[in-house]
Amino acid sequence: MADERNLLLSKSTFAHLKKSRSTPPSSSSTITAWVQQLPTPENIGHPFPQHPSLNPLRSIDPNPQRHPPGFQESKQASRKSLKRRATHSHPHNRASQSRVASSEHVKRRSARIASLRGRMRGQSSRCDDIEGEPTPKHAMALRGRPTATQSGSLHGAPIPNFLPSTPSSRVSSPPKSPGKSRPSSPSKSTNSHASKVITKREHLAQMQPDVTFCPIDGIKEKSVPQETRALWTGYIFPARDEQKVVPQELKASRLRGERLQATINTPMKTKVQIPESNYAPRLFQDGEMARLFNTAMDVIRQAGMYRGVCYEPHWVSKVVAPLMTELEKLSSFASATNRRIETLNISEVLIAPRELCPTSPSSAFADANKKVDYAIALTLSENEKRTLNQGTYCMDGPVSINQATSSFVSIKPMPVCFEVKTDDRDPLVQLGTWNAAEFEKRHREGYPMTVPIPSVAIYGDYWQLSIAFAVVVPAKDRRKDAKPYRVQFLGPIEMGNTCSVDGVFRILHFLKALVKWSLEIYEPVYLKKVLAMANRG
């Protein structure tokens, strides 16, 4: 309405100026007389009063006779609806009538209705009896709308909200008793003695079984089990000392092209040339050369593209997974009809049952249930699967020969595990928890405890290998509530990186050594024992 009046005033002013064809006087003495000739609401005869504010929301005529027909009936209906909403705004309408009808509530509701009536007449004053008092949520007359203090003001006056209320899906809660308070949630407890989450290696030393970490040159050879020494001396040390890890065939122009040229880009943007001493002939089959080279170049390209800018799952899928897939396809471990190993993405597999998780005797830490990203598993024949599925086990629950009960990994022997991190967190924390649960499973089922577990920690581009093994603790040297064994990690040693061709083929060289150990030592020593114990019942 106010916009139409202003438009009518503008048209009248323009018509008056056009009729008089007068221009504003240049001298200051005649300006006042010229302005007095301009049309005003009084000399034009418009039927609306002049208001001191230009705010159209405040230019409402308090005289009800000037409103259009039907306005009074609509206002009366709004008042009835307002009373009805104020009475029935509580979610428990009938059950809480006595609470809603209390004298204090009625007083606040009446005062608020009076205030709303005053705003609808253009009055900016508020009722003195509710000045400064907050309106309870359960007594709001307009649900889903802001109150006067919430909606703000324009030029110092409150703005009435004339928009239709929208139904709210949130139900207001009943008023709380002043003498009662809601108990705090256990997950959000502020107790200073609440259990902490394991985030460091030092925390694992306070768990049961305790997990410790030791460098290669910081442990006595006699304290290492014989099976662990055989793994180091027979497979890992030769792989570490071997320099000839890049296939000689890559030097051929047919494969090199313009992309390799015996140089690669490192993260430091420097050129590194592959030494001639790193090439060796016949490392892989002839049909595998082109595929491995293309995979290595693609991994380097993907690592350079996403280094430091992506999340861990994406890095795993683009950089780690292609190398795992190539490991499955190597002819050394697979034939046309039989694949001896497989790589499993177990990033969503939890330790189960939870009683296998390392525990804190002092309750200083929460039970550690960590996950790892990948594992190398041995494939089983149909007879072996049937034997394990129908076998007898000491632990109750689903059939499982490892620390997981997920259906696709529960009866798969996993000799090697991997954990990836793309930030400053330590992957050995999760590997320590995962392997501790594996040794606890072996201890309860009676499986061989002396067989070690190679564990690969991937720090972005750089791969490191550690060996986890169990050490039996005599009864006289352990506490009363301690486990009869402890878990120890030996290492790490560098496996390679995904920054260069030489680094990628060094990773593949180490992975081949680990798979070879899994087939030559782990399978006949550990897996055959597990299969034999499955038939004990």
Side-chain angles (χ1 to χ4, degrees):
M1 183 183 295
D3 293 339
E4 296 178 357
R5 295 165 182 166
N6 294 335
L7 181 61
L8 182 58
L9 177 60
S10 301
K11 290 182 178 180
S12 303
T13 304
F14 178 76
H16 179 77
L17 291 175
K18 185 176 180 181
K19 181 178 180 180
S20 60
R21 297 182 180 274
S22 62
T23 58
S26 57
S27 62
S28 59
S29 61
T30 58
I31 289 179
T32 304
W34 180 80
V35 172
Q36 292 177 353
Q37 297 178 5
L38 295 178
T40 62
E42 288 77 9
N43 55 37
I44 293 179
H46 288 294
F48 64 89
Q50 178 71 5
H51 198 276
S53 175
L54 296 179
N55 181 12
L57 293 179
R58 297 181 60 186
S59 302
I60 302 176
D61 185 9
N63 191 352
Q65 282 76 16
R66 300 289 180 89
H67 287 294
F71 180 80
Q72 289 296 327
E73 292 77 2
S74 176
K75 187 166 63 172
Q76 292 294 336
S78 299
R79 291 176 181 175
K80 293 181 180 179
S81 176
L82 195 62
K83 294 180 181 179
R84 193 163 48 250
R85 290 185 183 181
T87 304
H88 300 283
S89 61
H90 199 277
H92 310 286
N93 293 324
R94 299 178 180 176
S96 60
Q97 288 298 323
S98 59
R99 186 186 301 113
V100 176
S102 62
S103 59
E104 183 68 22
H105 182 71
V106 172
K107 179 181 177 181
R108 293 179 183 274
R109 185 188 62 194
S110 302
R112 180 162 179 78
I113 293 175
S115 176
L116 290 174
R117 289 174 180 172
R119 290 185 207 141
M120 294 178 65
R121 296 193 184 100
Q123 298 177 1
S124 60
S125 62
R126 298 186 60 194
C127 298
D128 297 335
D129 54 350
I130 61 169
E131 185 71 30
E133 295 186 10
T135 303
K137 292 183 180 179
H138 63 279
M140 290 180 62
L142 297 177
R143 295 182 59 191
R145 301 192 210 170
T147 60
T149 57
Q150 294 171 335
S151 59
S153 61
L154 181 64
H155 300 294
I159 303 176
N161 193 347
F162 294 105
L163 296 176
S165 61
T166 56
S168 175
S169 58
R170 182 177 180 180
V171 180
S172 58
S173 58
K176 299 180 181 179
S177 174
K180 298 181 180 180
S181 61
R182 180 187 175 188
S184 58
S185 174
S187 61
K188 299 180 181 180
S189 175
T190 57
N191 185 9
S192 59
H193 301 286
S195 300
K196 297 185 296 185
V197 179
I198 295 178
T199 58
K200 299 180 181 179
R201 302 183 192 180
E202 294 78 9
H203 297 164
L204 291 174
Q206 306 178 38
M207 307 295 288
Q208 285 298 325
D210 59 320
V211 182
T212 57
F213 300 84
C214 184
I216 300 175
D217 55 356
I219 190 172
K220 295 181 180 180
E221 184 178 355
K222 293 183 179 180
S223 61
V224 180
Q226 180 180 356
E227 290 80 356
T228 304
R229 293 201 304 267
L231 172 60
W232 277 107
T233 58
Y235 298 90
I236 296 178
F237 283 161
R240 181 194 63 178
D241 299 334
E242 180 61 54
Q243 298 296 326
K244 299 180 180 296
V245 296
V246 181
Q248 182 76 25
E249 292 79 4
L250 292 184
K251 297 181 66 177
S253 58
R254 176 176 59 88
L255 294 176
R256 186 179 69 242
E258 297 297 331
R259 293 184 296 175
L260 182 61
Q261 296 181 356
T263 60
I264 50 88
N265 288 321
T266 66
M268 288 69 69
K269 303 299 181 183
T270 58
K271 296 290 184 179
V272 178
Q273 185 174 1
I274 300 177
E276 288 290 333
S277 59
N278 287 8
Y279 289 102
R282 309 296 300 175
L283 291 177
F284 301 95
Q285 298 295 329
D286 293 338
E288 299 173 339
M289 287 294 103
R291 191 186 74 240
L292 289 174
F293 171 73
N294 291 331
T295 300
M297 294 304 299
D298 185 64
V299 165
I300 295 172
R301 183 167 52 253
Q302 295 290 338
M305 184 182 306
Y306 296 110
R307 183 179 296 116
V309 298
C310 71
Y311 294 106
E312 178 184 312
H314 190 75
W315 182 269
V316 171
S317 64
K318 294 295 184 181
V319 179
V320 179
L323 297 179
M324 296 295 181
T325 303
E326 289 298 333
L327 185 65
E328 290 183 352
K329 297 178 181 179
L330 292 180
S331 57
S332 304
F333 315 124
S335 62
T337 58
N338 183 27
R339 180 176 293 181
R340 304 181 66 185
I341 66 165
E342 59 179 329
T343 56
L344 304 175
N345 187 330
I346 56 174
S347 58
E348 297 300 324
V349 177
L350 284 170
I351 298 173
R354 290 189 63 88
E355 55 190 279
L356 297 177
C357 299
T359 58
S360 176
S362 61
S363 301
F365 298 95
D367 294 350
N369 194 339
K370 302 287 187 179
K371 300 178 287 187
V372 295
D373 291 312
Y374 258 92
I376 295 177
L378 302 180
T379 57
L380 302 175
S381 64
E382 293 300 325
N383 291 333
E384 292 173 337
K385 292 179 182 178
R386 190 180 305 108
T387 300
L388 294 177
N389 283 321
Q390 299 176 357
T392 303
Y393 301 92
C394 296
M395 296 188 66
D396 298 332
V399 173
S400 176
I401 64 171
N402 49 45
Q403 67 272 50
T405 56
S406 298
S407 58
F408 81 105
V409 298
S410 60
I411 62 170
K412 291 184 178 180
M414 297 181 289
V416 187
C417 54
F418 302 77
E419 173 58 24
V420 184
K421 289 297 178 204
T422 56
D423 49 22
D424 57 352
R425 292 177 295 172
D426 191 355
L428 282 175
V429 174
Q430 292 176 229
L431 289 170
T433 305
W434 181 262
N435 290 335
E438 167 68 18
F439 282 113
E440 180 65 16
K441 175 69 174 181
R442 296 182 183 183
H443 173 67
R444 299 194 179 200
E445 294 289 350
Y447 298 157
M449 296 285 290
T450 56
V451 178
I453 305 176
S455 306
V456 180
I458 304 176
Y459 299 84
D461 287 289
Y462 300 92
W463 296 43
Q464 294 182 351
L465 174 64
S466 299
I467 304 299
F469 58 94
V471 179
V472 178
V473 181
K476 62 179 181 179
D477 297 336
R478 64 174 184 264
R479 298 190 305 269
K480 183 178 180 180
D481 57 346
K483 298 286 185 181
Y485 66 93
R486 70 173 185 269
V487 179
Q488 193 159 5
F489 275 74
L490 187 61
I493 63 172
E494 299 292 334
M495 293 179 58
N497 59 75
T498 54
C499 303
S500 63
V501 174
D502 180 52
V504 171
F505 278 97
R506 189 167 295 279
I507 291 174
L508 290 173
H509 184 67
F510 263 98
L511 294 179
K512 286 177 59 179
L514 294 177
V515 172
K516 185 178 180 181
W517 170 82
S518 301
L519 297 174
E520 294 178 354
I521 303 298
Y522 180 89
E523 184 175 14
V525 174
Y526 183 79
L527 181 58
K528 298 301 181 183
K529 181 70 173 178
V530 172
L531 290 170
M533 296 186 68
N535 291 323
R536 57 191 167 189

